Amino acid sequence: MSILILKDVTYKYEGAAKDVLRGIDATFEAGRVYTIVGKSGAGKSTLLSLIAGLDVSTGGEILYRGTNLRTMDRDNYRAKNIGVIFQGLNLLTNATAVENIVLSMHISGSKEKDKKAYAYTLLAKVGINKESADRKVLKLSGGEQQRVAIARALSHNPDIIIADEPTGNLDKETEADVLGILTSLAHDEGKCVIIVTHSKRVTSFADEIWGINDGKLFRIK
Amino acid sequence: MYIIQNAFYNILRNKGRNILLGTIIFIIIISTVVALMINNTTGSIIDDYRSRFASEVFITPNMERMRERAMAEAAGSTGRVRISPPVIPPEQYIEFGNSEYLYDAVFKASTAVNSGNITAIDAELGGQAMRGTIFSGNEVSMPTSFYFSLHGNKFEDFREGLRDLAEGRMPENLNECIVSSDLAELNGISIGDKLSFTSEIFLRGGSSFADTQTLETHYELEVVGIYYDATDEYMQGGRHNAFTNRRNEILTTYETVVAPFLPGYSGITISATYYVKDPDLVPLFAKELYEKGLDSIFDVGTDEASYNRIVGPVEGLRSVSITFMIIVLIFGALIIALLSSMAIRERKYEIGVLRAMGMKKHKVALGLWLEMLIITSLCLALGLGVGTLAAQPVTNYLLAQQIQAAEAASQMPGLGGGAMTIGSIASTGTAVSNAKPLSEINIMLDLKTILQIVAITLLLATFAAFVAISRITKYEPIKILAERN
C-alpha cells in the first residue's frame, strides 16, 4: 500500500543557482525497508527533510496518504505521522532518555495513560534498561543515544520512520541490533522505513535500494 | 499540562542560567515592592492631607493690594492713611457658600459685648477696647471697654472635649446662648434666664479715624445651657483681662451674632470656611467668588504652607521612590532582555529539536513564557517578603533625608515667604507655617500594592518571554538543526 508518493519533486536552496533535487518520482509502501544511497552532497538529507516535513519542496508534490504535505499542518505531520532518526540524533541532551520519549508522546498527543511506563517499555525494546533510561542523554554512550533516538521515533507509533545514517557511529554489533529493530518495524509492524546511508551493510537489510546522484533519484534494486 | 511540567523540568535542568535570571528578577521585584509600598502609602497620606489642608478654602485680604488701594484713595489727603480690608457682608459669605464646588461651608461670627445684668470673671482686671480713641476737633471720643465676647457657631472645643454641657442644651435658635459654669456660678445664672448685652459697630466714612461713626447694638439672649470649660482661661502670653478670659465667652448661633450687622460696618468679626469637593476645584471656586462680587483685594486659597511643610518631604520621598522604580524597571528590563536573548541563543538547539518533533511555535513560546513566569513567581514570593521587610527601614532613611533637605531649603534666604493674611476676615491661612513635617510613615503592604506588583511581575515575565519568543519565530527547525549538525 502506497503511503508516500513523490511526484516530480524539486528543491533549490534560497539564493542557489542550481536545484539540489530534480524531478524526483518515487513511491514508498508500508511494511518495507528502503535505503537511499549516494555521495555526500548528493541531496540525500535534503530529500529526507522534505519527506520529514521539515522543509517544503520548491516544485512537485509529496503526498502522504494522498494529501499534499504542502497543504497539511506539517507540525502535526511530524508529531503524529512520521518518526525521524536524525543523523545528529537531536535529542534533548540535558533531559533523561525517558523524558525525551515522554515529551515526544506529549507533543504527538498520545492517548497512552501511563506515558512513562510506555516509554520504559519502548526503551527496553531497543535495548535500554531502566537505569540508562533514567540517565541524562549526555551521559549515555553513542550506541545508547542512537537507540533512544529510535525509541523516540517510535514513541508516537508513526506510519513512516526515516533514519539518516542511523548506524554511522556504531560498532558492528550495535549496528546489527539497530538494523534488526528497524527491519522488524517494517516487516512485523507494517511501518514504512526509509534509511539514508553510505553503508553497503545497511543496504543489505533493505527491500528496495535507491540511489541519488546529482539531484536525481533512481532505483538500484 | 505537559508544557507546564516541561517548563518546571527545564528550570531545574538549567539551574545556573535560571539562578542568574532569577537573581536579576528578584532584585527588580524587591526594588519594585519597596518603591510601590512607599508610593502607595505616601500616596494615601498625601491624598489624606490634601483633602484636609487643600480642600479648606481661605479668603484672605492681600496686604499689598490693600496698601495700594489705600494709597490711591488717600491721594491728596493730608491725614493718616488707614489700611483696612473691605468688609464682606454676612449675606455674601452665605451666598459664597452656595456653590456646587463645595461639600460644606462653616460660618462663624464674634463680637465684643458688655452686660448690664451680669458681672464678668476677672472684671477687676478691666476690659478691652475694640477701637482707638477718636479725636474730632476739640471732641475726644473714648473707646468702650468690653468685658465679654459673644461667639456664633464656635463649638469646636465641644468636639475636642475641652468643653462639655453641664446642663441644658446647645443653642439652636436665634437669641439662644450658653454660658460657662464659672460665669453662671458667679452670677447665679440658670437655664431660662435672659441676659442683655450691648455692643458697637463702626462705620468708617473715610481714611481717618475722625470719620468713624459708632452705633450701639443690643442682644437679648436666653440661656439654654451651661457648660463646663476645660480650656485655658487665658491664651499663653496674652493680655489678662475680663475680655480675654475664655470663661466670659457667651456662645450662641452665627445668626444671632450677625443679626445687628449693617453693610459697611465693622465690629462684628465674621469668618467662613469653605470646603471644596476636590482641591483641584479651588481655582474654579475662586473664579465663582469673584463673579459673585468678592472684592479683588481678597485672595482665595488653601493652607498650602502647612500642607507643603507637612507633606513636602513625603512628596519628595514618593517622587524618589517612583524615579528609583522607573530606573530599576528600565534597566532591569534591559538586562532581562539581554539575558533572555542570550539564553534563547543557547537554547536554540533545544527549540529546533522540539519544533522538529512537531511542537508548534506557540506551544514552544508558551513553554518559555511559563518558565519565565515560574521563575518570576518564585522571585515574587521571595521579593514580597524581603521587600516588605526592607520597605520600612528604607522609608525611614529616605524620609529623614527628605526632611533634612526640606529644612536646609527652608533656611535658605529667599525661600519660605508668602502672602500676609489678616485674621479678622477669615480663618487665618498661615503663610509661614509652624506645622511639623511628617517624620514617620508606617509603610503598609495592601491589596492594591500586591496587585500592582503582580501586574508588574507578569509584565516583566511576559516582556522577557517576548524577547525570547520574538527570536523563536524567526527560527525554522531545519535551519537550527542544520547549523547544529
Side-chain angles (χ1 to χ4, degrees):
Chain A
M1 188 186 123
S2 299
I3 197 163
L4 196 69
I5 300 167
L6 279 67
K7 285 185 184 172
D8 194 23
V9 172
T10 57
Y11 187 83
K12 188 158 82 174
Y13 283 107
E14 218 176 283
K18 200 175 145 190
D19 286 342
V20 180
L21 300 175
R22 291 183 290 130
I24 288 176
D25 291 298
T27 302
F28 298 97
E29 291 183 354
R32 291 180 75 79
V33 177
Y34 299 86
T35 56
I36 300 171
V37 293
K39 290 178 192 167
S40 292
K44 302 186 300 287
S45 295
T46 306
L47 180 63
L48 222 61
S49 301
L50 298 181
I51 294 172
L54 286 165
D55 212 342
V56 189
S57 61
T58 47
E61 50 187 25
I62 299 170
L63 305 173
Y64 167 75
R65 293 191 183 279
T67 310
N68 192 340
L69 281 191
R70 202 186 295 273
T71 60
M72 276 180 78
D73 177 348
R74 286 184 296 119
D75 290 336
N76 209 35
Y77 169 72
R78 287 199 302 275
K80 290 181 176 168
N81 307 119
I82 195 157
V84 186
I85 302 157
F86 294 96
Q87 188 175 13
L89 303 181
N90 293 340
L91 294 164
L92 297 172
T93 49
N94 58 358
T96 64
V98 77
E99 282 169 356
N100 268 275
I101 313 298
V102 169
L103 184 61
S104 172
M105 291 167 76
H106 277 302
I107 292 171
S108 69
S110 163
K111 297 273 185 264
E112 199 68 48
K113 280 195 175 165
D114 192 345
K115 292 185 175 63
K116 207 166 181 179
Y118 184 71
Y120 281 122
T121 309
L122 265 181
L123 286 164
K125 195 172 157 183
V126 295
I128 299 287
N129 61 27
K130 191 172 182 303
E131 195 189 335
S132 297
D134 287 330
R135 287 166 71 187
K136 286 197 171 180
V137 167
L138 210 58
K139 293 188 174 169
L140 297 176
S141 68
E144 284 174 317
Q145 289 186 14
Q146 193 80 48
R147 289 164 195 268
V148 174
I150 295 170
R152 189 184 62 183
L154 301 176
S155 65
H156 49 284
N157 196 25
D159 295 332
I160 306 164
I161 294 162
I162 52 177
D164 192 358
E165 299 286 4
T167 58
N169 305 317
L170 304 179
D171 57 64
K172 281 191 175 173
E173 199 182 330
T174 315
E175 183 186 61
D177 279 354
V178 167
L179 290 171
I181 293 164
L182 292 172
T183 313
S184 154
L185 286 168
H187 297 160
D188 302 335
E189 298 184 28
K191 311 285 182 199
C192 169
V193 177
I194 304 166
I195 305 169
V196 165
T197 185
H198 279 107
S199 164
K200 278 191 179 170
R201 189 174 144 74
V202 174
T203 56
S204 67
F205 283 80
D207 298 312
E208 278 183 39
I209 303 170
W210 290 74
I212 191 163
N213 189 26
D214 197 23
K216 293 285 278 183
L217 189 70
F218 53 89
R219 188 169 172 175
I220 297 171
K221 181 190 140 189
Chain B
M1 182 62 191
Y2 79 90
I3 296 176
I4 300 174
Q5 201 178 25
N6 197 47
F8 266 111
Y9 286 146
N10 276 341
I11 290 167
L12 297 174
R13 282 173 200 147
N14 304 294
K15 286 192 198 83
R17 182 180 60 218
N18 291 326
I19 286 172
L20 178 64
L21 199 61
T23 307
I24 304 281
I25 295 173
F26 179 64
I27 291 168
I28 294 172
I29 290 177
I30 287 184
S31 311
T32 311
V33 168
V34 172
L36 275 180
M37 282 175 73
I38 292 174
N39 179 56
N40 289 346
T41 309
T42 51
S44 309
I45 291 170
I46 290 167
D47 286 347
D48 177 43
Y49 275 87
R50 200 161 174 248
S51 63
R52 278 155 60 181
F53 281 86
S55 69
E56 190 176 339
V57 180
F58 297 93
I59 300 173
T60 52
N62 184 298
M63 194 61 171
E64 197 161 329
R65 266 178 262 154
M66 227 157 56
R67 202 179 60 227
E68 280 168 10
R69 186 180 289 184
M71 297 289 279
E73 283 171 359
S77 156
T78 51
R80 281 172 61 192
V81 175
R82 185 181 172 79
I83 301 172
S84 63
V87 175
I88 301 174
E91 300 82 15
Q92 204 170 30
Y93 270 120
I94 291 166
E95 174 60 19
F96 291 165
N98 295 325
S99 170
E100 57 169 324
Y101 304 124
L102 301 179
Y103 72 84
D104 198 9
V106 176
F107 300 98
K108 287 179 189 176
S110 64
T111 190
V113 290
N114 278 331
S115 175
N117 51 2
I118 58 168
T119 307
I121 295 166
D122 288 344
E124 65 279 9
L125 298 177
Q128 192 164 304
M130 290 296 109
R131 63 171 174 84
T133 306
I134 298 170
F135 299 92
S136 182
N138 293 331
E139 287 183 24
V140 177
S141 168
M142 293 300 289
T144 310
S145 265
F146 291 97
Y147 287 73
F148 300 91
S149 55
L150 182 65
H151 297 273
N153 202 17
K154 187 188 175 185
F155 301 122
E156 60 271 19
D157 289 327
F158 288 85
R159 285 193 292 275
E160 287 164 17
L162 293 172
R163 283 175 172 169
D164 195 18
L165 266 185
E167 54 180 305
R169 60 172 174 82
M170 299 296 280
E172 291 163 5
N173 306 311
L174 199 64
N175 299 326
E176 289 182 347
C177 72
I178 55 175
V179 295
S180 71
S181 54
D182 297 308
L183 189 65
E185 199 177 313
L186 179 69
N187 293 284
I189 300 169
S190 309
I191 305 267
D193 286 356
K194 303 272 190 205
L195 304 178
S196 301
F197 296 98
T198 55
S199 183
E200 286 176 354
I201 54 175
F202 323 101
L203 178 67
R204 294 190 177 109
S207 56
S208 70
F209 283 109
D211 300 324
T212 302
Q213 289 177 26
T214 305
L215 274 182
E216 192 173 270
T217 58
H218 299 272
Y219 295 95
E220 291 293 326
L221 307 180
E222 180 188 350
V223 178
V224 294
I226 292 166
Y227 61 90
Y228 291 127
D229 198 346
T231 59
D232 290 337
E233 210 168 349
Y234 290 102
M235 274 175 66
Q236 212 172 6
R239 197 183 292 172
H240 287 206
N241 57 41
F243 181 77
T244 56
N245 191 317
R246 297 201 64 193
R247 303 293 179 270
N248 290 325
E249 286 181 355
I250 316 293
L251 306 184
T252 181
T253 61
Y254 165 78
E255 290 76 12
T256 305
V257 179
V258 298
F261 181 86
L262 290 173
Y265 280 76
S266 56
I268 296 176
T269 304
I270 297 166
S271 71
T273 312
Y274 303 108
Y275 298 90
V276 284
K277 289 171 185 165
D278 187 299
D280 294 337
L281 295 172
V282 172
L284 290 174
F285 179 61
K287 188 171 174 246
E288 185 183 289
L289 295 195
Y290 292 125
E291 282 168 4
K292 282 180 175 174
L294 178 66
D295 196 306
S296 61
I297 218 159
F298 291 97
D299 284 333
V300 179
T302 55
D303 188 3
E304 279 179 39
S306 294
Y307 172 80
N308 289 336
R309 177 122 179 107
I310 293 173
V311 185
V314 179
E315 281 186 332
L317 173 64
R318 189 184 196 193
S319 161
V320 166
S321 73
I322 285 295
T323 311
F324 176 66
M325 186 180 79
I326 290 169
I327 290 170
V328 166
L329 280 178
I330 290 172
F331 278 94
L334 286 175
I335 293 169
I336 285 177
L338 193 69
L339 279 177
S340 289
S341 185
M342 283 162 64
I344 214 69
R345 194 175 294 183
E346 198 184 303
R347 294 178 70 181
K348 203 169 160 183
Y349 165 68
E350 180 191 332
I351 290 158
V353 171
L354 291 172
R355 294 281 294 119
M357 284 159 75
M359 195 182 226
K360 290 185 181 300
K361 271 183 188 173
H362 74 266
K363 285 191 175 170
V364 176
L366 178 64
L368 290 171
W369 182 69
L370 284 171
E371 278 179 39
M372 198 52 76
L373 194 65
I374 293 164
I375 294 171
T376 316
S377 300
L378 287 172
C379 294
L380 174 68
L382 276 173
L384 270 177
V386 177
T388 308
L389 290 175
Q392 192 63 57
V394 170
T395 306
N396 294 345
Y397 174 76
L398 290 176
L399 186 61
Q401 298 288 313
Q402 289 296 318
I403 292 169
Q404 234 173 14
E407 278 169 1
S410 68
Q411 282 163 10
M412 283 171 70
L415 295 174
M420 187 177 172
T421 57
I422 288 182
S424 61
I425 295 296
S427 304
T428 50
T430 47
V432 181
S433 173
N434 293 322
K436 293 268 183 236
L438 270 178
S439 57
E440 267 180 38
I441 294 177
N442 205 5
I443 293 293
M444 304 282 281
L445 181 64
D446 56 6
L447 186 65
K448 182 186 163 196
T449 311
I450 292 174
L451 289 175
Q452 282 175 338
I453 292 163
V454 169
I456 287 176
T457 307
L458 272 174
L459 282 174
L460 211 60
T462 306
F463 172 73
F466 177 76
V467 172
I469 291 161
S470 63
R471 293 186 74 98
I472 294 171
T473 51
K474 293 176 189 160
Y475 297 151
E476 281 304 323
I478 182 74
K479 284 183 188 162
I480 300 172
L481 298 179
E483 275 175 30
R484 166 84 175 188
N485 294 330

